[in-house]
């Protein structure tokens, strides 16, 4: 059976990029947590760098995801998913940073 498409809308590029940046941030957070556990809480400087990179990727992903709603005639599911994922990780990383201050 052939798929019929009634619209010329496509997926938002900003939404896809937001999801990619969010996934990279999750990888950085997990790598930092694993390194911290391996060193029993006295992790090397790399752990802090991974946390900062995750925070910056989240800020970028959140900004791109929110700006992607301005794209006209697009499907916004990826924008919603990427913005939500980056927002949740952003709050998590902000909490970790605030605990360390």
């Amino acid at each position: 059976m052939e798929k019929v498409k009634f619209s010329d809308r496509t997926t938002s590029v900003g939404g896809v990029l937001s999801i990619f940046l969010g996934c990279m941030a999750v990888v950085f957070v997990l790598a930092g947590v694993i390194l911290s556990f391996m060193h029993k809480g006295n992790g090397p400087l790399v752990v802090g760098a991974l946390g900062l990179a995750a925070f910056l990727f989240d800020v970028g992903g959140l900004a791109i995801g929110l700006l992607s709603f301005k794209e006209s005639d697009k499907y916004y599911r990826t924008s919603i998913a990427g913005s939500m994922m980056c927002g949740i990780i952003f709050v998590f990383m902000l909490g970790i940073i605030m605990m360390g201050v």
Side-chain angles (χ1 to χ4, degrees), residues 5-61:
K5 193 173 183 183
F6 292 106
S7 174
D8 291 337
R9 296 190 311 177
T10 58
T11 304
S12 171
V13 175
V16 174
L17 186 58
S18 176
I19 288 177
F20 175 74
L21 291 174
C23 289
M24 290 301 297
V26 168
V27 168
F28 288 156
V29 168
L30 289 177
V33 168
I34 290 170
L35 275 174
S36 183
F37 276 123
M38 286 174 52
H39 292 282
K40 298 179 181 159
N42 294 323
L45 189 61
V46 175
V47 174
L50 286 172
L52 181 63
F55 184 74
L56 294 176
F57 271 56
D58 280 332
V59 169

Side-chain angles (χ1 to χ4, degrees), residues 11-21 60-69 71 74 78-79 82-83:
T11 304
S12 171
V13 175
V16 174
L17 186 58
S18 176
I19 288 177
F20 175 74
L21 291 174
L62 186 60
I64 291 171
L66 292 175
L67 288 175
S68 69
F69 286 107
E71 295 179 28
K74 299 285 183 177
T78 55
S79 299
S83 297

